[in-house]
Amino acid sequence: MYQQTIEKMKQKLEAAGLYPLKAQAELSTRILKERLDVILPWAMEKSGMDMWVVLSRENCEDPIIHTLFTWDMPEARRISILLFHRNEETGAIRRMAVGMHSPEMSSIYENVQEKEETVWQAAARIVAELAPKKIAVNRSFLYGFCDGLSSTLYENLKEAVGELYASRICDGEELTVRWLQRVSPLEKEAMKVLTSVTHDIVDYTFSKAFVKPGTTTTTDIEWCMREMITALGYSYWFGADVDLQRKGSSVSRMFHEVIQPGDLLHCDIGLNGRYVHLHTDMQWAAYILKEGETGAPEEFQVLLDKGNRFREIVMEELKEGVTGNDVFACSVKRAKDEGIRPMLYTHPLGTFGHGAGPSIGQYGNQGFLPGHGQRPVEDKTCYALELNVYDDAKIWDGQQVFMYLEEDICKDGAVEYLDGHQERLLLI
């Protein structure tokens, strides 16, 4: 059963160009070209930047560099510089590379470094020739992945371009957030498949084929999830985490426990590619049947239904131009008005797991979020729709029970699930 599941997932990935590794590499090049053609011109125009300079140093790399390098250049070599210039009249983007780069990079970027020039001389010459008004660099107070320019390279760049152009260097947060947040058409299709495969892993590990009540532990499931992800040639960017709730316990998330009949089981799992820089993130729940039971207690299914209603509300409030804080406030109010006891902590998803864009609540802060929460919702963005609802379960003598739910969605005009969502509790 295990090997059959692995093979079916491999076939699904292979059909989408996401397996084996060579196919994933080829798809990553197509994605990068599409992103540079479709997303970068929009991001530069919206942010008001006519030049973007991305600098990275070997062994001290900018996270964004990996979204701009090709698969055959997994790391910066000595000092790598990419320059992007937007023509204000045509909107066309000139893509340039300075420093050592790979064969695949040469098919995408123009090599502008002359034979006798250092990287700094080449960069300074290009800046002077193009005379940009605003030069974006990767500095940000809000987002770590937008803050990858080291202080040394920052000083080197200012010295190289001279006082006039150094005065035009700006923190590029508005550009870099948009570059990272928006997904291209190819990425959206890939996300659908990766989400489906993540569901397949949950379906196997949360089934009687793997779980033996009284013997299997939550930790056993975690390691099976990791092994399955690794067997596909993918990585996990957290966890996976598996926990349970049990009648009589004051702990709402019990880890490293032997699974017993009557437990409410929960997982949090996400995978990411090696060359296709996309992440999934989801949470599902299962009930461990007691002897003689054919279904979960009705109270638990009702709680799941409330969670799904809350998800509907959030998706309805996810409107372009509305801030994450407003989506949070309106969603929580509507849920409470319907008698739901909610918590909301949804985040953008894609190039990074906790991605660029508006945060919609936070697990440790169910209120106004400065900075992250003040960003507006943008179209063509994937989110991990993460939340929970809770109630006092009569069947558990009034014990508070949580239903933790998370599913991957995309706002692309309408808001839609990438591969469906949990509607019934899994039964083991």
Side-chain angles (χ1 to χ4, degrees), residues 78-149:
R78 296 179 177 85
I79 293 175
S80 297
I81 304 176
L82 297 177
L83 302 100
F84 303 89
H85 181 258
R86 180 178 181 273
N87 186 303
E88 290 185 356
E89 294 182 3
T90 66
I93 305 292
R94 185 180 176 189
R95 310 187 297 243
M96 298 161 280
V98 173
M100 297 176 66
H101 52 279
S102 68
E104 196 82 358
M105 290 280 283
S106 298
S107 69
I108 296 176
Y109 296 100
E110 174 189 353
N111 181 10
V112 293
Q113 185 176 358
E114 296 180 353
K115 189 174 181 180
E116 302 302 323
E117 287 182 320
T118 68
V119 291
W120 297 114
Q121 288 169 339
R125 175 176 54 80
I126 292 298
V127 168
E129 288 175 2
L130 296 174
K133 298 174 184 175
K134 287 188 175 182
I135 305 170
V137 295
N138 296 347
R139 285 165 38 107
S140 169
F141 287 97
L142 280 181
Y143 296 98
F145 38 63
C146 297
D147 191 35
L149 177 61

Side-chain angles (χ1 to χ4, degrees), residues 80-224:
S80 297
I81 304 176
L82 297 177
L83 302 100
F84 303 89
H85 181 258
R86 180 178 181 273
N87 186 303
E88 290 185 356
E89 294 182 3
T90 66
I93 305 292
R94 185 180 176 189
R95 310 187 297 243
M96 298 161 280
V98 173
M100 297 176 66
H101 52 279
S102 68
E104 196 82 358
M105 290 280 283
S106 298
S107 69
I108 296 176
Y109 296 100
E110 174 189 353
N111 181 10
V112 293
Q113 185 176 358
E114 296 180 353
K115 189 174 181 180
E116 302 302 323
E117 287 182 320
T118 68
V119 291
W120 297 114
Q121 288 169 339
R125 175 176 54 80
I126 292 298
V127 168
E129 288 175 2
L130 296 174
K133 298 174 184 175
K134 287 188 175 182
I135 305 170
V137 295
N138 296 347
R139 285 165 38 107
S140 169
F141 287 97
L142 280 181
Y143 296 98
F145 38 63
C146 297
D147 191 35
L149 177 61
S150 72
S151 61
T152 304
L153 291 183
Y154 182 49
E155 294 302 325
N156 289 155
L157 177 64
K158 288 193 296 182
E159 181 179 358
V161 300
E163 186 176 348
L164 173 63
Y165 291 110
S167 68
R168 300 181 186 182
I169 295 174
C170 310
D171 292 356
E173 183 179 291
E174 288 301 314
L175 191 165
T176 52
V177 167
R178 289 187 171 94
W179 166 250
L180 295 174
Q181 179 178 341
R182 178 164 282 197
V183 294
S184 72
L186 281 173
E187 287 178 304
K188 181 181 175 182
E189 292 308 307
M191 279 292 290
K192 289 180 179 179
V193 178
L194 294 176
T195 302
S196 176
V197 166
T198 311
H199 281 149
D200 291 341
I201 295 171
V202 175
D203 286 341
Y204 175 78
T205 54
F206 269 31
S207 73
K208 64 181 180 181
F210 183 76
V211 177
K212 309 301 178 191
T215 302
T216 306
T217 68
T218 55
T219 310
D220 292 334
I221 299 178
E222 290 174 344
W223 277 110
C224 185

Side-chain angles (χ1 to χ4, degrees), residues 88 144 222 282 318 344:
E88 290 185 356
E222 290 174 344
M282 62 185 59
L318 204 63
L344 178 58

Side-chain angles (χ1 to χ4, degrees), residues 144-349:
F145 38 63
C146 297
D147 191 35
L149 177 61
S150 72
S151 61
T152 304
L153 291 183
Y154 182 49
E155 294 302 325
N156 289 155
L157 177 64
K158 288 193 296 182
E159 181 179 358
V161 300
E163 186 176 348
L164 173 63
Y165 291 110
S167 68
R168 300 181 186 182
I169 295 174
C170 310
D171 292 356
E173 183 179 291
E174 288 301 314
L175 191 165
T176 52
V177 167
R178 289 187 171 94
W179 166 250
L180 295 174
Q181 179 178 341
R182 178 164 282 197
V183 294
S184 72
L186 281 173
E187 287 178 304
K188 181 181 175 182
E189 292 308 307
M191 279 292 290
K192 289 180 179 179
V193 178
L194 294 176
T195 302
S196 176
V197 166
T198 311
H199 281 149
D200 291 341
I201 295 171
V202 175
D203 286 341
Y204 175 78
T205 54
F206 269 31
S207 73
K208 64 181 180 181
F210 183 76
V211 177
K212 309 301 178 191
T215 302
T216 306
T217 68
T218 55
T219 310
D220 292 334
I221 299 178
E222 290 174 344
W223 277 110
C224 185
M225 288 177 164
R226 294 176 190 128
E227 293 285 358
M228 294 180 85
I229 292 170
T230 303
L232 299 173
Y234 281 72
S235 302
Y236 41 91
W237 62 279
F238 68 90
D241 301 320
V242 178
D243 58 88
L244 58 83
Q245 296 173 76
R246 177 173 293 157
K247 183 178 180 179
S249 173
S250 60
V251 180
S252 63
R253 296 187 66 184
M254 300 171 65
F255 292 91
H256 311 300
E257 292 283 340
V258 176
I259 297 164
Q260 301 290 355
D263 287 345
L264 190 59
L265 195 63
H266 160 261
C267 71
D268 192 353
I269 177 175
L271 58 79
N272 60 286
R274 180 170 180 181
Y275 296 135
V276 173
H277 300 291
L278 295 171
H279 297 66
T280 65
D281 193 3
M282 62 185 59
Q283 298 180 46
W284 277 54
Y287 177 73
I288 314 301
L289 295 167
K290 297 179 182 178
E291 187 175 352
E293 285 184 323
T294 58
E298 184 180 356
E299 284 182 279
F300 293 167
Q301 182 58 48
V302 168
L303 192 57
L304 176 59
D305 292 342
K306 288 182 178 180
N308 277 324
R309 172 57 189 151
F310 187 28
R311 289 204 267 212
E312 289 177 359
I313 291 171
V314 178
M315 291 169 75
E316 289 168 4
E317 293 294 336
L318 204 63
K319 302 168 185 174
E320 192 168 4
V322 176
T323 68
N325 285 328
D326 286 341
V327 174
F328 171 84
C330 292
S331 299
V332 169
K333 182 181 185 304
R334 285 179 59 188
K336 288 181 177 179
D337 288 346
E338 293 185 19
I340 298 170
R341 301 167 73 180
M343 289 181 65
L344 178 58
Y345 34 99
T346 288
H347 56 86
L349 178 75

